[in-house]
């Protein structure tokens, strides 16, 4: 069955032209994501996480290598891959439900409008903001807007969810709520998720696997760590699991040793 094949990021390199010449931001990046896996891409700001994710989404092209889905190289966006950005980026002149409806109607153009509307309502309710259906985005809090953005992605009924620091703009309480929402959603149908984050605790709480990137230029996979904390997870149960602290220390050690600001004398300690 094709749905049982991994998503492969294969020998991926990305270079940009700059006024001072080309720079290779990501080089020879290889990751195989299994169906149903929840994977974090973690690394310092500017290392190339968003670049990798946007190439997976088909929003940018690879310079070398590429992305393979169901055994076929993908170079463009596709309905099976939905993207959620750090900023909700809803269309400001459309209500919450209309934003989600637009996605449902684009994903399933042959469906009668009434059923597209049902899909939009279903996903808006699923993310817990059905009561704001007719509000414009500007009338909604950041957290509610981001819930609508998640509903918009889900209304596409994708197999892959690509999340680029989806909680990065939220206050910590709202961030916790949205992390729990994403975890609940994932438990329901175990979509394959790739989430970019620089939040170690978020990655440990949500993910099966954490891919740590080295610093750029020429960033690549530095460490590939499994998170063996049992599911379903709850915040307290996860954070008090012995593996949590062990992995947290390992990740901090890695990030410190790959930080440009790192003081060499500490390295020996
Ligand atoms: N279009 C572009 N042109 C030139 N450099 C870019 C472009 N997009 C990203 N970069 C550079 O690539 C590096 C990685 O960026 P990005 O993937 O956004 O990092 P991250 O998401 O890990 O913070 C940064 O140094 C950034 O300045
Ligand atoms: Mg980024």
């Amino acid at each position: 069955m094709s749905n049982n094949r991994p998503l492969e990021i294969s020998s991926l390199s990305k270079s940009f032209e700059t006024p001072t010449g080309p720079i290779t931001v990501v080089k020879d990046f290889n990751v195989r994501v299994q169906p149903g896996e929840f994977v974090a891409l973690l690394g310092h700001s500017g290392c190339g996480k968003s670049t990798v994710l946007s190439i997976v989404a088909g929003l940018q092209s690879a310079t070398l290598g590429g992305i393979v889905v169901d055994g076929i190289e993908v170079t463009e966006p596709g309905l099976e891959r939905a993207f959620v950005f750090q900023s909700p980026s809803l269309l400001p002149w459309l209500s919450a439900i209309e934003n989600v409806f637009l996605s449902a109607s684009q994903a399933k153009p042959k469906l009668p409008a009434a059923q597209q509307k049902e899909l939009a309502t279903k996903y808006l309710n699923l993310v817990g903001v059905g009561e704001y259906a007719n509000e414009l985005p500007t009338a909604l809090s950041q957290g509610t807007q981001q819930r609508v953005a998640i509903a918009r992605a889900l209304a596409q009924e994708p197999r892959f969810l690509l999340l680029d620091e989806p909680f990065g703009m939220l206050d910590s309480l709202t961030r916790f709520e949205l992390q729990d929402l994403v975890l609940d959603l994932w438990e329901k149908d175990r979509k394959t998720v790739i989430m970019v984050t620089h939040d170690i605790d978020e990655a440990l709480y949500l993910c099966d696997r954490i891919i740590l990137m080295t610093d750029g230029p020429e960033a690549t996979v530095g460490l590939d760590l499994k998170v063996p904390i049992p599911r379903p997870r709850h915040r307290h149960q996860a954070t008090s699991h012995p593996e949590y602290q062990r992995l947290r220390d390992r990740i901090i050690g890695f990030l410190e040793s790959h930080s440009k600001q790192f003081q060499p004398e500490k390295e020996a300690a």
Side-chain angles (χ1 to χ4, degrees):
M1 187 60 191
S2 65
N3 287 8
N4 293 328
R5 296 170 76 166
L7 180 151
E8 289 176 66
I9 305 174
S10 181
S11 304
L12 179 69
S13 295
K14 178 68 179 174
S15 304
F16 291 109
E17 291 300 330
T18 73
T20 51
I23 59 156
T24 299
V25 169
V26 175
K27 188 171 177 187
D28 201 22
F29 190 94
N30 288 285
V31 171
R32 181 173 291 191
V33 181
Q34 296 300 333
E37 247 191 330
F38 197 139
V39 173
L41 264 188
L42 185 77
H44 284 294
S45 184
C47 73
K49 305 180 293 297
S50 296
T51 300
V52 170
L53 199 68
S54 68
I55 295 170
V56 175
L59 301 171
Q60 284 197 70
S61 59
T63 305
L64 289 172
I67 309 302
V68 178
V69 175
D70 298 335
I72 297 165
E73 186 176 3
V74 294
T75 52
E76 289 177 345
L79 290 170
E80 78 288 356
R81 283 161 287 141
F83 204 98
V84 177
F85 298 91
Q86 181 172 22
S87 137
S89 56
L90 301 171
L91 296 177
W93 60 88
L94 295 182
S95 67
I97 188 88
E98 286 166 343
N99 267 282
V100 182
F101 174 78
L102 187 63
S103 163
S105 59
Q106 284 169 348
K108 300 185 194 295
K110 296 204 177 109
L111 216 57
Q115 278 171 263
Q116 294 170 346
K117 180 91 194 290
E118 269 173 37
L119 269 184
T121 305
K122 170 182 153 183
Y123 286 109
L124 210 55
N125 287 334
L126 193 65
V127 302
V129 293
E131 66 190 288
Y132 301 114
N134 297 313
E135 302 286 348
L136 289 176
T138 46
L140 305 173
S141 68
Q142 275 284 327
T144 302
Q145 286 186 45
Q146 197 59 319
R147 283 178 190 257
V148 177
I150 293 169
R152 178 177 58 183
L154 295 175
Q156 194 176 315
E157 305 209 308
R159 282 162 46 212
F160 304 97
L161 265 184
L162 309 175
L163 313 175
D164 193 352
E165 308 214 27
F167 318 121
M169 287 173 72
L170 307 175
D171 62 83
S172 55
L173 219 59
T174 311
R175 191 179 322 142
F176 280 12
E177 287 171 9
L178 277 258
Q179 287 168 352
D180 286 337
L181 169 72
V182 166
L183 204 51
D184 279 352
L185 291 171
W186 182 82
E187 285 291 352
K188 286 195 177 89
D189 62 2
R190 303 226 168 181
K191 287 189 197 305
T192 310
V193 183
I194 307 179
M195 179 181 71
V196 161
T197 182
H198 59 241
D199 182 333
I200 300 170
D201 292 294
E202 177 169 291
L204 284 168
Y205 179 38
L206 297 179
C207 297
D208 295 311
R209 221 170 116 201
I210 301 177
I211 312 289
L212 278 153
M213 285 179 72
T214 60
D215 280 350
E218 303 193 351
T220 192
V221 175
L223 264 183
D224 185 337
L225 299 171
K226 281 220 177 336
V227 183
I229 299 173
R231 296 188 186 269
R233 292 183 189 161
H234 303 284
R235 198 174 296 273
H236 179 70
Q237 161 255 350
T239 52
S240 56
H241 193 280
E243 278 296 310
Y244 190 96
Q245 209 51 52
R246 187 187 72 78
L247 284 168
R248 200 173 189 282
D249 291 344
R250 181 117 191 254
I251 293 167
I252 290 171
F254 174 89
L255 291 174
E256 281 184 348
S257 66
H258 286 81
S259 168
K260 296 199 173 75
Q261 288 85 45
F262 187 66
Q263 300 299 309
E265 57 269 28
K266 277 195 200 159
E267 208 164 1

